[in-house]
């Protein structure tokens, strides 16, 4: 069980891979074993010749900047969370709701969407989930609506910027779109996806009779008091600077995230050095991503490519976009959205930009049915378990299926209007 401070923030050192509370070594999580196994399998494929060295080297050159970005942005986000940036915003959201559930609902949707868009879906799953669950405890309201808001928007609000999702980074690279260029194409699909998600959240989890307890109002919390206001301000400015850099200056994502991380790390080194631990580094992701690239490239070279060519086709029109998005969403829920995107991208013709973006919608807004459909969902389930919040699997699958189908359809239709 992760211990929490009075404001709902996990204590320092409470959850790094291979490290338990107080720095004690713990057994590896099953996801750690999965990440290691994928990397070993990928390396074996190269050594045995199943994957020729040239395409393997091409994949590693492609994945290098992505790994740097992932590592630095997650360290930055983790430390930002420990500086209480998320706690303060969550408390502000609850106070701004003025005790009224509809207003609180709209603010929570906005908060989770902005976190996903600007800091990526894994940040929302890892850092925002415990804050929102702790906030539910403090307000005395049902936790499940807040939890479902977090996990659904961690996926469906990840369409707008390259930073929002690793799949976006890959797609933006493939179609040569900058951060502002991708946003110019995906703004309407993103709005459609969030709107459908909000509607499903209200109907299935937030409306009276569904949210639990039958409350009409809640009591807003007291104004939050930061433990270190200076650190809070520095981290807030670093996050804002990171976002401005990728939107306005169109600098490489890895360099923007690295710069912001350095600022945050230096601030912690000066003010709270004890928080800086190796467990901050997302080792699991840094091992998982290159391993998954190598394995998918190997499988693609030995039969998957042909199957997906038949499933996806090469139609770049609206029907072809719907078909591609549906296959991407289905494959994501069967396997996982990252390998689903990688395999699908290798099949979509280079000139079919609309079809590729439809695949992106399918693998981002579609993986809502199974717990393993995205890494963010897996991490979210883990956080809910630690908090003691029970998620009924049948309800999760059923409502997720509805949102997956309707949300993907709405986002692809919106994409067709702007392309």
């Amino acid at each position: 069980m992760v211990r929490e401070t009075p404001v709902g923030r996990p204590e320092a050192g409470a959850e790094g891979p291979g490290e338990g509370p107080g720095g004690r070594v713990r057994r590896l999580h099953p996801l750690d074993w999965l990440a290691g196994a994928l990397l070993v399998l990928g390396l074996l494929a190269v050594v045995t010749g199943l994957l020729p060295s040239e395409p393997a080297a091409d994949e590693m050159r492609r994945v290098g900047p992505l790994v740097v970005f992932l590592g630095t942005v997650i360290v930055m986000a983790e430390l930002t969370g420990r500086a209480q940036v998320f706690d303060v915003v969550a408390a502000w959201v609850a106070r701004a709701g003025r005790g009224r559930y509809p207003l609180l609902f709209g603010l929570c949707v906005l908060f989770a969407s902005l976190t996903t868009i600007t800091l990526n879906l894994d940040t929302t799953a890892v850092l925002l989930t415990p804050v929102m669950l702790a906030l539910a405890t403090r307000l005395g309201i049902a936790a499940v609506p807040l939890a479902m808001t977090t996990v659904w928007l961690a996926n469906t609000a990840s369409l707008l910027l390259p930073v929002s999702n690793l799949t976006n980074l890959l797609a933006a690279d493939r179609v040569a779109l900058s951060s502002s260029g991708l946003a110019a194409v995906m703004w309407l699909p993103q709005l459609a996806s969030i709107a459908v998600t909000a509607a499903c959240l209200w109907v299935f989890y937030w409306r009276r009779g569904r949210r639990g307890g039958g409350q009409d109002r809640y009591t807003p919390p007291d104004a939050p008091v930061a433990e270190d206001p200076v650190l809070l301000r520095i981290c807030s400015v670093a996050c804002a600077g990171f976002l401005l850099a990728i939107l306005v200056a169109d600098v490489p994502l890895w360099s923007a995230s690295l710069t912001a991380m350095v600022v945050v790390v230096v601030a912690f080194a000066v003010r709270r050095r004890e928080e800086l631990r190796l467990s901050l580094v997302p080792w699991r992701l840094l091992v998982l991503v290159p391993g998954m690239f190598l394995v998918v490239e190997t499988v693609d070279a030995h039969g998957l490519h042909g199957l997906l060519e038949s499933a996806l086709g090469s139609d770049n029109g609206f029907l072809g976009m719907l078909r591609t998005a549906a296959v991407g969403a289905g494959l994501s829920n069967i396997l996982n959205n990252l390998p689903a995107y990688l395999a699908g991208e290798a099949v979509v013709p280079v000139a079919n930009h609309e079809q590729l973006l439809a695949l992106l919608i399918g693998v981002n807004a579609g993986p809502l049915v199974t717990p393993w459909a995205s890494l963010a969902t897996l991490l979210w389930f883990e956080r809910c378990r630690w908090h003691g919040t029970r998620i009924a699997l049948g309800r999760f699958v059923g409502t997720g299926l509805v949102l997956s189908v309707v949300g993907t359809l709405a986002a692809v239709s919106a994409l067709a209007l702007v392309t």
Side-chain angles (χ1 to χ4, degrees):
M1 179 71 69
V2 174
R3 301 190 305 275
E4 292 179 350
T5 66
V7 292
R9 180 169 52 88
E11 291 185 356
E15 51 186 303
E19 186 177 342
R24 296 192 302 273
V25 175
R26 63 170 174 81
R27 288 183 298 176
L28 292 176
H29 188 276
L31 287 176
D32 298 323
W33 287 105
L34 173 63
L38 284 174
L39 182 59
V40 169
L41 287 174
L43 294 175
L44 284 175
V46 176
V47 171
T48 59
L50 283 173
L51 179 61
S53 58
E54 186 174 343
D58 289 340
E59 288 300 301
M60 290 304 95
R61 281 191 290 270
R62 186 183 186 192
V63 80
L66 303 181
V67 169
V68 173
F69 161 74
L70 278 174
T72 54
V73 78
I74 290 178
V75 170
M76 177 192 71
E78 176 69 34
L79 289 174
T80 298
R82 295 186 182 192
Q84 295 180 275
V85 173
F86 297 113
D87 298 292
V88 169
V89 175
W92 176 85
V93 165
R95 287 171 60 81
R98 300 178 182 178
R100 299 198 295 268
Y101 273 100
L103 184 54
L104 176 66
F105 167 71
L107 291 170
C108 285
V109 168
L110 179 63
F111 183 25
S113 298
L114 289 177
T115 303
T116 300
I117 289 169
T118 59
L119 290 175
N120 83 47
L121 74 168
D122 294 324
T123 295
T124 300
V126 172
L127 298 180
L128 188 58
T129 300
V131 170
M132 297 290 268
L133 292 176
L135 186 62
T137 301
R138 293 176 66 200
L139 297 179
I141 65 177
V144 171
L146 286 166
M148 293 304 301
T149 301
T150 305
V151 71
W152 275 3
L153 287 166
N155 290 284
T156 62
S158 66
L159 291 171
L160 189 64
L161 299 175
V163 69
S164 309
N165 199 325
L166 177 57
T167 53
N168 297 11
L169 287 168
L170 300 171
D173 179 63
R174 165 76 176 264
V175 298
L177 286 176
S178 63
S179 295
S180 56
L182 184 64
V185 175
M186 298 299 283
W187 69 272
L188 189 58
Q190 181 64 95
L191 286 177
S193 180
I194 292 175
V196 171
T197 302
C200 288
L201 280 168
W202 182 260
V203 170
F204 292 135
Y205 292 100
W206 276 85
R207 64 185 173 91
R208 195 173 190 278
R210 290 284 185 175
R211 58 179 173 252
Q215 311 104 317
D216 290 317
R217 296 181 66 85
Y218 67 92
T219 302
D222 296 332
V225 178
E227 296 174 7
D228 189 333
V230 173
L231 197 57
L232 175 71
R233 286 193 290 268
I234 292 173
C235 290
S236 299
V237 170
C239 288
F242 165 69
L243 182 60
L244 285 174
I246 63 173
L247 287 177
V248 178
D250 281 334
V251 300
L253 283 170
W254 67 267
S255 63
S257 61
L258 177 61
T259 301
M261 184 203 72
V262 169
V263 171
V264 172
V265 168
V266 169
F268 267 85
V270 172
R271 302 191 67 85
R272 286 193 350 218
R273 183 183 296 271
E274 70 279 2
E275 299 266 14
L276 298 178
R277 302 184 178 198
L278 283 176
S279 59
L280 288 169
V281 180
W283 301 109
R284 180 189 297 161
L285 277 177
L286 302 188
V287 171
L288 175 71
V289 171
M292 191 173 288
F293 268 69
L294 292 174
V295 169
V296 170
E297 183 69 18
T298 303
V299 175
D300 188 58
H302 293 274
L304 181 61
H305 188 90
L307 291 174
L308 280 178
E309 274 188 326
S310 300
L312 295 178
S314 58
D315 182 3
N316 202 37
F318 179 61
L319 291 180
M321 291 161 63
L322 282 178
R323 176 180 175 179
T324 301
V327 172
L331 195 58
S332 295
N333 285 294
I334 294 171
L335 300 175
N336 179 273
N337 67 331
L338 183 53
Y341 175 80
L342 292 173
E345 182 197 65
V347 171
V348 174
V350 174
N352 287 12
H353 290 183
E354 290 78 12
Q355 187 184 9
L356 184 71
L357 293 175
L359 174 66
L360 182 66
I361 289 173
V363 301
N364 284 13
L368 303 168
V369 184
T370 57
W372 57 84
S374 73
L375 180 60
T377 305
L378 281 170
L379 295 171
W380 171 83
F381 263 106
E382 191 176 6
R383 292 285 175 148
C384 289
R385 178 177 59 83
W386 286 345
H387 182 267
T389 298
R390 182 180 177 273
I391 305 298
L393 188 58
R395 191 179 180 197
F396 176 86
V397 170
T399 57
L401 178 60
V402 173
L403 176 56
S404 178
V405 172
V406 179
T408 300
L409 176 60
V412 172
S413 298
L415 177 64
L417 292 176
V418 297
T419 57

